[in-house]
Every structure is written in structure tokens, then in C-alpha cells.
Amino acid sequence: RFWTDFMCKLPDGTVLAVEYKGADRYNTDEAKEDRLIGELWARESKGRARFMMVTNRQWDVISALLG
């Protein structure tokens, strides 16, 4: 099972799922599996969803994804 930390509905109707992992857990097998699941979910949504995994409080990567 995989539950993201944040789900947001963007103004254009797109759903953004954000998962946060501390630096000590970002490269674990579990985190890698979570990224694969999230990326697959976003890809299969046909543009209706986006996924982002953030670490080290680098929230600016979300802005880059949305920009």
C-alpha cells in the first residue's frame, strides 16, 4: 500500500500527489518502490495527475514541476 503525504487539486483540475521522504529514507527500497508507483499512477492518468517525491525540505522542486 502507498499513501502520499499530500494531495492537492490544482486550479486546472489536475491532481498533484506529493510524497515527502527524509534524506535518510529517500534512497531506500521502499522509497524507490513508492516513486515507481507514483510515477506509474501519474503516467497512467493521461495528464490528469502528477506525482512528486520531495526530500530535504526542497519544496521548490514542486514549483519547478508546475512551472
Side-chain angles (χ1 to χ4, degrees):
R1 296 183 181 197
F2 174 57
W3 303 96
T4 62
D5 293 311
F6 304 98
M7 294 289 288
C8 311
K9 188 170 185 178
L10 304 175
D12 68 357
T14 302
V15 174
L16 172 63
V18 179
E19 175 68 11
Y20 182 83
K21 293 287 185 199
D24 61 325
R25 295 178 291 134
Y26 188 77
N27 289 312
T28 64
D29 288 341
E30 182 180 343
K32 290 175 186 175
E33 185 175 306
D34 290 349
R35 272 194 297 280
L36 287 173
I37 292 167
E39 290 166 0
L40 175 64
W41 172 75
R43 189 171 49 252
E44 292 297 313
S45 77
K46 299 180 181 165
R48 295 185 314 257
R50 296 180 185 192
F51 172 79
M52 188 79 205
M53 185 176 283
V54 178
T55 189
N56 289 332
R57 298 182 182 170
Q58 296 174 330
W59 303 110
D60 56 322
V61 298
I62 296 172
S63 296
L65 173 73
L66 300 176

